[in-house]
Amino acid sequence: VKDGSWTVLQLVEALGSCLENTDPRTRGRGIQLLSQVLLQCYSLLQEKEVLHLVLFYENRLQDHHLVIPSVLQGLRALSMCEVLAPGLAVSVLKAIFQEVHVQSLLQLDRHTVYSIITNFMGTREEELKGLGADFTFGFIQVMDGEKDPRNLLVAFQIVRDLIVKNYALGPFVEELFEVTSCYFPIDFTPPPNDPHGIQREDLILSLRAVLVSTPLFAEFLLPLLIEKMDSDLQSAKLDSLQTLTACCAIYGQKELQEFLPSLWSSLRREVFQTASEKVEAECLTALHALSACLSCSVLSSDTEDLLDSFLSSVLQDCRHHLCEPDMKLVWPSAKLLQAAAGASLRTCHRITCSVVPLLLEQYTKHPQSSQRRTILEMLLGFLELQQKWGHVEEDESALLSLRAPVCSVVFSAMTDPSVQLQLVGIRALTVLGSLQGFLSPPDLELVVDHLLRLILHEEDSQSSEAAMEAAGSLAPLYPQVFSGKMVPRLGEELRSEREEEGSRAPRCLQQRCLQALAAVSTHTSIVRETVPALLQHLRQVQKGSEARNAQDVVSVCQSLHRVALQCQQDAESCWYYHQTVVPCLLALAVQAAMQESTHLPLGKALLEEEALAAMVPVISAASTHLSPELAAQSVSHVVPLFLDGEVSFLPQNSFPCSFRPFEGGERLEAQRRLVALLMAFVCSLPRNVSQRLLRELLALSCSCNCPFTATTAAKCFAGLVNKHPAGQQLDEILQLAVNRMEPGLVEGPHRTQALTLLLWVTKALVLRYHPLSSHLTDKLLGLLGDAELGPAAADGFSLLMADSPDVLHKGCHADVRLMFRQRFFTDNVPKLVQGFHGAGPDVKANYLKGLSHVLNHLPKPVLVTELPTLLSLLLEALSCSDRVVQLSTLSCLQPLLLEAPQIMSLHVDTLVSKFLSLASSPTMAVRIAALRCAHALTSLPTAVLLPYKARVIRALAKPLDDKKRLVRKEAVAARGEWFLLGSPGR
Amino acid sequence: LIRSINDPEHPLTLEELNVVEQVRVKAMFAFRQVNDAESTVAVEFTPTIPHCSMATLIGLSIKVKLIRSLPERFKVDVHITPGTHASEHAVNKQLADKERVAAALENSHLLEVVNQCLSARS
């Protein structure tokens, strides 16, 4: 038939005797054959053939029940024909409705019926609509009593289409509702190994789509939901609440009117009584949706406004609870009110008008700071809702009339001795500031004063930090006030502190000033005042001669770094910052280095490792976001400075001698250290390298005696190589590097330097999947067996896998491939394991250490899948006596205990003994990690743990008496959790 | 150790309710001298109201938490701040009686409430 050598007519004729046979089985087989053919060839049929086949099949519907399944298959094939004549669809459906009792068929055959209906609904919508409500009624009968989830999904879809596509429901609305709502709430657990993959959630969602598809169902659905909210099953509650939320999207006041009191009392009861956060959250969402629905319904002039009476009852039931800040119902009431208030501008206005004055009054009535804190936190919630509606006309804003009392409450909280209350006060202040036009200019002055007082003089660091954050978020809204009032005050404090010098307390003040200057730099105009102030301070600090100055340099740099991060998004401030800060830092450093080389005692602070290390992120952050043109402009200044000593672009560029960091000679040691700053700059730019610079860096990294300089040069080289475009130039420079490294690794005074270079170059290449990386990694694996370099090489694996903070990360445009860790893992872990088994006893630990570093940095989901094969090795690593291995393995195991409890519970016996014995390790960090693991053990299935409970509790009594407080703390936490295992009330 | 214990009927911790305050905790011990017989911890707690029906339960929770968290050599003494509860004497007596404390923890209802007080709030 497919080839066209037979027609369907010929087939029917040939089957003739079979189709007319008196034995129903034979007849069935004949029809089955015909139906199978039709299913494959329905698109080839002629209109006339279809007509005859339809008539034949309709007729067969009255046949023996054995025949029916095949008949339905045939009709399904025909329902997919495009050439079906008008009227036939209707007649097929009528015949099915009339002749077939669908629910007595098998699941598959019922599914066929639904498919026929779906097919016709898809292609013959107009014809079916001609049937009117009869079609709806017919379908109701078809699906009445359906039990199979597969069929239900289809049936629900059909009902939804019936409603959404406006088929006539006629008098059958209630029947249609009954026939679907009887499944609500869905209670279905898919059988294990279910091949159909239908989840409970699928059924819930498709049934919900039906129930909320029309307001006509409202009068039946709402009582049902109210009833099910009272159910004992949490899932039923949740489903009812979610369905209610969904309903509100299409209902209006008319549908809800009758049920509002009972809906409200159910919601209130649930929120007041429930212990489940989920139920509470869903109730609040439903209340929000309900209020939103009531707010946006269009009213005719004569009906009363339901919103008003609804909110009145909400207020009536919740308001008085707000007056008892110690009682349980305070927060549920506040949350209910906030959910309703968040629904629309009108609800917000209405509820704020009533609640905010009450809270203000309660605040003055309750003198205890814990009560005040609760009240202020509630007030804060209502203020935050105001933010949502943005700027409101003055006469409409209920809040504006309360400006004075609100401000005085918030200010009083900020002056309260309780830190907790201060913190809430600061948050409230931030919200008030973000309400446009709420704070008057005198208020703002007060705000700045309060913030300054907290920043400079509050003893608790939490409060002063919160105040800085608040200043940072308010500064862009009121730049004049902050740049005019706060920045000068901070600058003054900074100067006066520096002049006084001496006692320890002012240093803390100076620290706070620096942090505050950074925090408040959130607006272009403010940045232009704070950056010069910070740089000025840096110059002064650097002139001082005391040993503590390096620490001061670090503090200033931390503040500068923060400013840099805040400027990055704004191109203009970013360029301003780059132009101002980078030359200034370079100039200061160059000057210091020259003084050093001419043997003056000054300027040392700036060259300390920690000071240079603190400048690195500043320069890096100032350079990463530059546009390519500006970056090129900057490169043309900085690179010649290092290669040729071109100092002309630096401010105050009269130096006693020339700057030659890449030349040999003992006296230039200080100048060479500045390679760190070069690294910060050039490694942060998209890509821009001169070959000469690469060669100089390579030479420096291999030959320099100072470890800091050598490491920095190696990092800089690696950072540039990582970004270097592939090609001959790259191959040449890499070959050069390998040639210098390999002899260096074998022997000589610079073995450590060669290893450092190897590590960094390997990292640079591993990140970009360069083919040479596997060669270098093998070299590294070989070094694990080296007695001298082995431990350092093992630690190097952590460097390879971890994110480096200053170079070779995404932020500084490095070429980092996705999943490089997984790739490194699959390539190298088998070699590590193999190496471990083959290694001598004295170097075995190196392999374990390398392995545990690799595992430690691997994404946890990957690790969980690899766990079964590696676990035995990890357990062996726990017995290793090296404490770095122990620590790293414990920190690797701890998250696994939480994430893969099933696999871990197979080894519970070993784990318990190992953790308990490591809990008395001589190293504090190991003890802490072991106790954390013992704590994490409690997340394994309780039944597995119970046999060990007594033993663990007894063993954990000992670390309770540890001489270190941090260890005792972990022991208390772990032991407490073990006590709760398997006992009631956990 | 005890500030984070939950109150049996309020959504707050004992510290937030001012039931326990640092000035009312007295400890005499030295962690170095492991066999020091003088190791004692004395905790006074203040019920929120003089007729608080939960006083015994709060005291029990504090006591259990301390027993679970301190080395065995400590003598744990938990009692009500003098003059803050109607049946102060009776409650103190119950809390001081080792056997009654042990018996209370055999009762699964009491144990459940105590454990709830000691569970970390999610």
Side-chain angles (χ1 to χ4, degrees):
Chain A
V1 177
K2 267 189 195 162
D3 293 344
S5 48
W6 273 52
T7 64
V8 176
L9 184 63
Q10 285 170 315
L11 177 70
V12 174
E13 278 168 358
L15 281 171
S17 64
C18 193
L19 292 178
E20 286 165 4
N21 197 302
T22 49
D23 176 23
R25 281 173 215 283
T26 320
R27 234 173 25 245
R29 276 205 293 281
I31 295 176
Q32 189 182 9
L33 179 74
L34 182 60
S35 298
Q36 291 300 333
V37 173
L38 291 180
L39 274 173
Q40 294 191 29
C41 310
Y42 60 85
S43 53
L44 304 171
L45 295 176
Q46 304 295 318
E47 188 175 334
K48 197 119 189 233
E49 293 172 322
V50 174
L51 176 64
H52 287 295
L53 284 165
V54 166
L55 290 178
F56 167 73
Y57 273 109
E58 276 180 14
N59 190 259
R60 285 298 98 197
L61 281 173
Q62 299 165 353
D63 204 334
H64 195 273
H65 69 91
L66 284 174
V67 181
I68 298 294
S70 309
V71 175
L72 289 172
Q73 286 297 341
L75 284 172
R76 184 164 77 89
L78 293 171
S79 73
M80 292 186 281
C81 279
E82 279 171 30
V83 292
L84 196 71
L88 284 183
V90 171
S91 109
V92 168
L93 286 178
K94 270 187 174 164
I96 292 180
F97 292 158
Q98 201 172 352
E99 306 294 345
V100 187
H101 183 242
V102 178
Q103 288 307 321
S104 57
L105 298 175
L106 292 174
Q107 183 268 330
L108 188 65
D109 304 322
R110 299 202 300 273
H111 195 269
T112 313
V113 176
Y114 295 123
S115 306
I116 296 171
I117 297 174
T118 314
N119 288 341
F120 282 146
M121 284 176 80
T123 52
R124 322 264 149 186
E125 191 177 324
E126 287 312 313
E127 286 179 43
L128 299 195
K129 281 186 180 165
L131 263 175
D134 286 349
F135 176 55
T136 311
F137 181 67
F139 179 72
I140 291 172
Q141 284 189 317
V142 165
M143 87 165 280
D144 192 3
E146 180 60 64
K147 283 198 190 66
D148 192 277
R150 289 164 281 179
N151 289 349
L152 278 175
L153 279 182
V154 189
F156 289 154
Q157 184 58 43
I158 295 176
V159 179
R160 202 177 125 71
D161 286 345
L162 279 179
I163 296 167
V164 174
K165 296 193 175 154
N166 283 322
Y167 284 81
L169 303 183
F172 302 115
V173 175
E174 188 169 359
E175 277 80 359
L176 192 61
F177 176 77
E178 288 300 332
V179 84
T180 46
S181 68
C182 60
Y183 301 100
F184 183 86
I186 297 273
D187 180 21
F188 166 66
T189 325
N193 312 322
D194 178 24
H196 308 290
I198 295 178
Q199 296 297 315
R200 188 162 165 269
E201 202 59 21
D202 302 332
L203 285 166
I204 290 181
L205 290 178
S206 66
L207 175 58
R208 186 176 302 154
V210 171
L211 295 178
V212 305
S213 56
T214 169
L216 293 176
F217 283 165
E219 53 175 323
F220 316 114
L221 179 60
L222 290 172
L224 180 68
L225 294 179
I226 291 169
E227 183 197 323
K228 296 296 176 193
M229 269 188 237
D230 202 12
S231 159
D232 289 334
L233 282 175
Q234 181 168 332
S235 60
K237 268 184 198 177
L238 290 174
D239 198 358
S240 311
L241 289 165
Q242 285 162 349
T243 310
L244 176 60
T245 309
C247 286
C248 290
I250 60 154
Y251 287 2
Q253 299 214 348
K254 186 165 70 79
E255 286 78 20
L256 291 170
Q257 182 163 25
E258 198 185 328
F259 304 100
L260 275 179
S262 0
L263 281 171
W264 164 238
S265 72
S266 298
L267 289 173
R268 186 190 56 199
R269 183 196 62 223
E270 289 307 318
V271 173
F272 280 177
Q273 292 178 0
T274 187
S276 148
E277 278 175 29
K278 250 194 198 156
V279 173
E280 186 190 83
E282 289 300 342
C283 282
L284 296 177
T285 321
L287 178 60
H288 181 98
L290 208 54
S291 316
C293 171
L294 291 175
S295 320
C296 60
S297 297
V298 181
L299 295 176
S300 59
S301 54
D302 51 340
T303 50
E304 65 159 333
D305 186 1
L306 287 175
L307 179 66
D308 217 41
S309 57
F310 181 68
L311 290 180
S312 297
S313 56
V314 175
L315 279 166
Q316 195 196 339
D317 290 337
C318 294
R319 208 169 169 262
H320 60 275
H321 291 300
L322 302 185
C323 306
E324 297 162 329
D326 282 338
M327 302 308 280
K328 248 187 173 165
L329 291 182
V330 173
W331 274 111
S333 304
K335 283 178 188 166
L336 281 168
L337 286 169
Q338 284 165 1
S344 69
L345 184 55
R346 276 169 67 208
T347 57
C348 188
H349 181 75
R350 176 73 204 280
I351 290 183
T352 320
C353 273
S354 159
V355 170
V356 171
L358 176 75
L359 288 174
L360 293 172
E361 182 194 309
Q362 291 299 317
Y363 184 88
T364 37
K365 266 192 190 163
H366 289 86
Q368 275 190 27
S369 64
S370 64
Q371 295 169 330
R372 288 190 155 187
R373 177 181 154 206
T374 311
I375 296 170
L376 192 57
E377 273 179 340
M378 291 192 278
L379 183 61
L380 176 65
F382 289 102
L383 294 176
E384 275 168 348
L385 289 175
Q386 292 282 330
Q387 270 180 317
K388 191 168 153 190
W389 306 112
H391 186 56
V392 185
E393 291 300 310
E394 285 207 12
D395 50 330
E396 264 187 64
S397 167
L399 215 52
L400 220 51
S401 56
L402 295 169
R403 172 157 64 194
V406 169
C407 284
S408 83
V409 160
V410 171
F411 290 150
S412 100
M414 289 173 70
T415 44
D416 195 274
S418 155
V419 173
Q420 296 305 323
L421 189 53
Q422 282 177 12
L423 290 175
V424 185
I426 294 170
R427 272 164 61 204
L429 186 72
T430 318
V431 175
L432 287 183
S434 67
L435 293 176
Q436 223 178 352
F438 183 80
L439 293 174
S440 64
D443 285 337
L444 275 170
E445 305 246 318
L446 265 177
V447 167
V448 171
D449 285 343
H450 276 288
L451 288 175
L452 266 172
R453 181 180 52 75
L454 286 173
I455 289 173
L456 296 175
H457 305 300
E458 171 57 41
E459 279 180 21
D460 190 273
S461 62
Q462 236 183 325
S463 283
S464 77
E465 269 162 33
M468 288 180 205
E469 291 312 316
S473 53
L474 291 179
L477 302 172
Y478 310 100
Q480 279 106 354
V481 184
F482 278 84
S483 67
K485 217 164 149 13
M486 189 173 254
V487 177
R489 275 283 302 282
L490 289 170
E492 243 169 69
E493 290 285 338
L494 205 53
R495 266 193 299 283
S496 65
E497 286 317 317
R498 200 172 46 233
E499 279 151 20
E500 282 171 25
E501 300 250 345
S503 67
R504 195 172 155 274
R507 254 169 73 71
C508 161
L509 194 58
Q510 180 186 325
Q511 189 77 17
R512 290 226 179 139
C513 283
L514 290 174
Q515 283 170 355
L517 277 174
V520 84
S521 307
T522 43
H523 187 269
T524 329
S525 68
I526 302 178
V527 169
R528 283 168 199 264
E529 311 211 1
T530 52
V531 166
L534 287 169
L535 290 176
Q536 182 57 33
H537 184 68
L538 184 63
R539 274 187 214 107
Q540 296 300 325
V541 166
Q542 184 249 343
K543 276 184 194 152
S545 53
E546 287 158 55
R548 67 164 213 218
N549 283 358
Q551 194 46 51
D552 287 348
V553 173
V554 172
S555 313
V556 185
C557 287
Q558 278 165 349
S559 289
L560 280 170
H561 182 220
R562 175 156 181 194
V563 180
L565 294 178
Q566 285 162 355
C567 292
Q568 277 177 344
Q569 295 318 320
D570 178 35
E572 196 195 338
S573 338
C574 185
W575 179 232
Y576 164 77
Y577 185 91
H578 183 85
Q579 261 185 321
T580 321
V581 175
V582 174
C584 177
L585 286 183
L586 285 172
L588 284 172
V590 168
Q591 197 170 21
M594 300 220 176
Q595 285 163 349
E596 178 82 355
S597 20
T598 50
H599 295 294
L600 285 171
L602 291 174
K604 269 188 179 162
L606 218 51
L607 298 177
E608 301 262 342
E609 269 174 39
E610 49 179 334
L612 284 175
M615 283 195 249
V616 167
V618 179
I619 296 184
S620 177
S623 314
T624 43
H625 282 64
L626 286 185
S627 66
E629 305 85 64
L630 294 178
Q633 191 184 332
S634 197
V635 166
S636 66
H637 293 308
V638 177
V639 173
L641 169 70
F642 279 83
L643 285 178
D644 308 315
E646 190 58 62
V647 293
S648 58
F649 84 103
L650 299 177
Q652 302 154 351
N653 52 10
S654 55
F655 298 116
C657 58
S658 57
F659 181 59
R660 296 276 172 205
F662 287 118
E663 275 178 19
E666 283 299 307
R667 293 179 60 218
L668 296 179
E669 188 58 53
Q671 294 192 2
R672 282 200 286 271
R673 294 168 81 84
L674 301 195
V675 172
L677 304 185
L678 174 67
M679 171 192 85
F681 175 73
V682 7
C683 289
S684 306
L685 300 173
R687 60 190 47 163
N688 232 318
V689 261
S690 81
Q691 291 287 310
R692 195 178 135 210
L693 187 62
L694 279 170
R695 281 171 220 276
E696 299 281 14
L697 285 168
L698 182 59
L700 187 60
S701 70
C702 288
S703 59
C704 183
N705 289 323
C706 165
F708 175 78
T709 310
T711 309
T712 317
K715 275 159 91 169
C716 189
F717 180 73
L720 293 175
V721 160
N722 174 266
K723 281 182 245 179
H724 199 293
Q728 200 196 343
Q729 277 193 332
L730 179 66
D731 295 341
E732 274 172 25
I733 195 82
L734 283 176
Q735 196 50 50
L736 198 63
V738 172
N739 290 346
R740 294 209 58 155
M741 250 179 321
E742 286 188 340
L745 282 171
V746 179
E747 55 182 1
H750 293 123
R751 282 189 85 188
T752 332
Q753 277 87 336
L755 176 64
T756 311
L757 181 63
L758 171 67
L759 281 171
W760 282 102
V761 174
T762 312
K763 183 172 170 79
L765 298 184
V766 164
L767 289 182
R768 64 181 279 185
Y769 288 3
H770 192 278
L772 194 63
S773 67
S774 62
H775 171 69
L776 295 179
T777 319
D778 287 343
K779 195 148 235 15
L780 197 58
L781 283 166
L783 283 173
L784 285 176
D786 185 288
E788 187 189 343
L789 291 182
D795 283 331
F797 278 89
S798 128
L799 188 151
L800 288 184
M801 300 304 282
D803 282 320
S804 129
D806 40 10
V807 292
L808 288 174
H809 60 86
K810 271 261 149 67
C812 60
H813 312 286
D815 184 359
V816 181
R817 299 298 184 86
L818 279 177
M819 322 242 272
F820 77 92
R821 291 195 179 86
Q822 282 91 321
R823 188 168 151 148
F824 189 86
F825 171 83
T826 28
D827 287 351
N828 294 302
V829 163
K831 294 183 199 166
L832 270 170
V833 174
Q834 199 186 350
F836 168 77
H837 290 300
D842 47 336
V843 292
K844 257 191 173 12
N846 295 342
Y847 290 90
L848 280 179
K849 200 193 274 183
L851 180 69
S852 64
H853 282 313
V854 175
L855 298 184
N856 227 343
H857 290 99
L858 207 62
K860 292 297 166 262
V862 183
L863 197 47
V864 169
T865 57
E866 299 290 338
L867 198 58
T869 48
L870 289 168
L871 202 53
S872 59
L873 207 60
L874 280 174
L875 294 178
E876 194 163 344
L878 278 184
S879 325
C880 172
S881 60
D882 185 313
R883 63 194 158 82
V884 179
V885 177
Q886 289 170 351
L887 194 59
S888 154
T889 314
L890 286 171
S891 58
C892 179
L893 282 173
Q894 199 240 4
L896 293 176
L897 286 166
L898 303 174
E899 273 161 50
Q902 297 303 333
I903 306 173
M904 300 303 265
S905 53
L906 298 176
H907 299 269
V908 65
D909 194 63
T910 329
L911 289 170
V912 167
S913 342
K914 293 282 186 230
F915 293 156
L916 292 183
S917 73
L918 286 176
S920 49
S921 149
T923 314
M924 175 171 95
V926 173
R927 292 202 297 277
I928 292 179
L931 288 170
R932 280 201 186 134
C933 283
H935 189 169
L937 268 180
T938 55
S939 59
L940 302 192
T942 311
V944 182
L945 296 174
L946 277 181
Y948 302 91
K949 183 174 171 181
R951 179 177 155 204
V952 173
I953 286 175
R954 230 178 306 121
L956 288 182
K958 199 172 148 251
L960 286 182
D961 217 359
D962 200 278
K963 60 180 187 290
K964 290 288 188 183
R965 190 181 62 84
L966 291 173
V967 179
R968 296 199 294 271
K969 198 174 140 209
E970 295 297 336
V972 166
R975 195 163 189 252
E977 213 45 53
W978 273 89
F979 263 110
L980 294 179
L981 268 184
S983 63
R986 186 195 182 193
Chain B
L1 293 177
I2 55 176
R3 58 197 265 181
S4 59
I5 298 179
N6 304 314
D7 185 274
E9 57 180 3
H10 293 286
L12 299 168
T13 65
L14 296 188
E15 185 187 37
E16 287 167 324
L17 289 170
N18 288 328
V19 171
V20 290
E21 294 165 285
Q22 197 161 12
V23 289
R24 303 204 182 281
V25 177
K26 294 188 187 67
M28 283 178 54
F29 54 87
F31 270 96
R32 291 298 164 83
Q33 300 165 6
V34 176
N35 292 319
D36 192 347
E38 294 294 298
S39 298
T40 60
V41 170
V43 176
E44 281 181 358
F45 68 98
T46 315
T48 44
I49 47 169
H51 290 278
C52 180
S53 57
M54 293 289 154
T56 326
L57 205 56
I58 294 177
L60 188 64
S61 302
I62 297 176
K63 184 140 189 168
V64 170
K65 176 73 187 182
L66 288 174
I67 291 173
R68 288 178 181 179
S69 308
L70 289 173
E72 252 180 289
R73 65 196 156 83
F74 275 83
K75 184 174 179 310
V76 176
D77 174 24
V78 175
H79 55 265
I80 293 180
T81 313
T84 60
H85 197 267
S87 41
E88 180 188 328
H89 183 64
V91 175
N92 284 346
K93 206 170 158 189
Q94 283 191 24
L95 288 174
D97 187 337
K98 264 188 191 170
E99 279 170 22
R100 292 186 72 166
V101 169
L105 294 182
E106 298 282 307
N107 178 329
S108 73
H109 283 295
L110 273 177
L111 185 60
E112 178 174 349
V113 181
V114 169
N115 280 342
Q116 268 164 5
C117 295
L118 302 185
S119 296
R121 272 278 150 82
S122 51

